[in-house]
Amino acid sequence: MATRTRPNAGTKGVARADREEQILTVACRLFGESGFASTSVADIAEAAGISKPLIYNYFGSKEGLYAVCVQHAAEILTAEIERTAASGTVGLARAVVTLDGMFRVLEPQPWLWHLVFDPTAPPDAATQKVLADYERRILDFGTEGVGELLRLAGNDDPTDTEAMRAVWENVFRTLVTWWLAHPDESPAAMTERCVRLFAAVFGEIDLPTS
Amino acid sequence: MATRTRPNAGTKGVARADREEQILTVACRLFGESGFASTSVADIAEAAGISKPLIYNYFGSKEGLYAVCVQHAAEILTAEIERTAASGTVGLARAVVTLDGMFRVLEPQPWLWHLVFDPTAPPDAATQKVLADYERRILDFGTEGVGELLRLAGNDDPTDTEAMRAVWENVFRTLVTWWLAHPDESPAAMTERCVRLFAAVFGEIDLPTS
DNA sequence: CCTTGATATGACTCTGGGGTAAGTTACCAC
DNA sequence: GTGGTAACTTACCCCAGAGTCATATCAAGG
């Protein structure tokens, strides 16, 4: 055709699976850094060097893409938590080990954290299911340690346990979020800081040799 | 005129100050319950039984209205915190007293809480200034108690103190938010729950007679 | 009465951003 | 070469929701 109305169309030799992975990587970063609501599909397309319809072609909708991003992040974070949980430590030592693992996992891609806790995440069913699953898998670990703490103090009220679990979950989140807001701090240094903070509240704790 | 093209126009005998207060009340509730981003000016107008332009006439913009709402809420919450702070208690007892006061203030209008901590609040200068002021006034109280706790454990690292303050602030927020999510629990019952939770972590605490 | 200012609204405009229709290009199998 | 298909884009539609304009009604003062 003499009239090249769409000079950039046509395949560039990138297989669908590869393109999907590339889009996913870019989207995770943008969604994580700016939040779901403040990130437009056009932004992602531009950052990935492709056009908007390709994203819709591969992921269906903005929500669809987001759900895959959250799934991706949740899998990484859950795997790390389950890994440290399997290491056999208990009580506060386990908390420290878990935090330490989280810092190390997040260091190369800190935006994953905010992805999972994005307050502007859509009420979309797929996304909510992924988040609910994540929540459920994480929950048990927290409830364990917290329940133990309360029983030690002679308290086995289940509602108290639930409230305390919410508190613990948010302490965990706060420590990670605080660390993310202080990028100069290494994971190791932050872990030590956590140990000092716990010690101030609970007294000295015996850590596993690592 | 035979052609009554705008049958509902014209004053209804409500003075500007009264209308502003009425709009403010409705807006606080809607913004607080659904968040800034999910609440449209049309929603507020409808809930207040007036038309959209009147809101723009009185408040200039959606952000302008929101800033006034946040100011309103922040004043109420700050006043309550400063009131309990002036009561003379210290340490954990003060934490309990402050929480108790907060539960009582929020009982008739729980939405005020989420208004101040809305993650979808606009980056608008006026709003941010109000929030920053609120933050600053609250901050000192937390830093005080937290600093004391750390010093007692032989720790006076200022960065540790800052991190611990962030943790404490979020524990406070979590307890209030948890309570708001359990509307059947009375302020008194929730205060007692907090006492039990603190006791489990810190051991028994001596409360002021009240 | 009749002007003036405050209170009020119906019916617009405009923009950002999600989503789509329809076509274009390249590669591969035969 | 010539279909068929997968990869890709341009240019568009469309709507919710912020914000505005021109006008209408009322109450009070002269």
Side-chain angles (χ1 to χ4, degrees), chain A residues 15 33 37 162 172 189:
Chain A
E33 285 179 347
E162 194 216 308
F172 194 99

Side-chain angles (χ1 to χ4, degrees), chain B residues 87 89 93-94 96-97 206-210:
Chain B
S87 76
T89 51
R94 177 151 115 191
V96 171
V97 171
D206 33 336
L207 292 177
T209 55
S210 69

Side-chain angles (χ1 to χ4, degrees), chain B residues 88-160:
Chain B
T89 51
V90 291
L92 270 179
R94 177 151 115 191
V96 171
V97 171
T98 307
L99 279 163
D100 185 62
M102 196 53 73
F103 298 144
R104 289 175 201 282
V105 167
L106 287 175
E107 198 180 19
Q109 41 189 345
W111 49 83
L112 288 190
W113 182 256
H114 293 297
L115 198 48
V116 180
F117 297 110
D118 186 351
T120 68
D124 157 50
T127 302
Q128 292 306 321
K129 187 174 172 355
V130 173
L131 286 174
D133 279 9
Y134 171 78
E135 188 88 7
R136 194 171 38 68
R137 291 176 68 187
I138 299 298
L139 211 122
D140 301 334
F141 298 115
T143 312
E144 246 175 70
V146 158
E148 189 193 348
L149 175 69
L150 284 177
R151 266 193 307 281
L152 241 66
N155 183 336
D156 52 3
D157 181 324
T159 317
D160 278 7

Side-chain angles (χ1 to χ4, degrees), chain A residues 3 15 21 25-26 33 63 65 75 82 110 117 121 132 170 175 203 208 210:
Chain A
T3 62
E21 194 186 329
T25 304
V26 171
E33 285 179 347
E63 275 86 1
L65 172 57
E75 248 155 41
E82 286 173 347
F117 297 109
N170 275 274
L175 287 169
S210 68

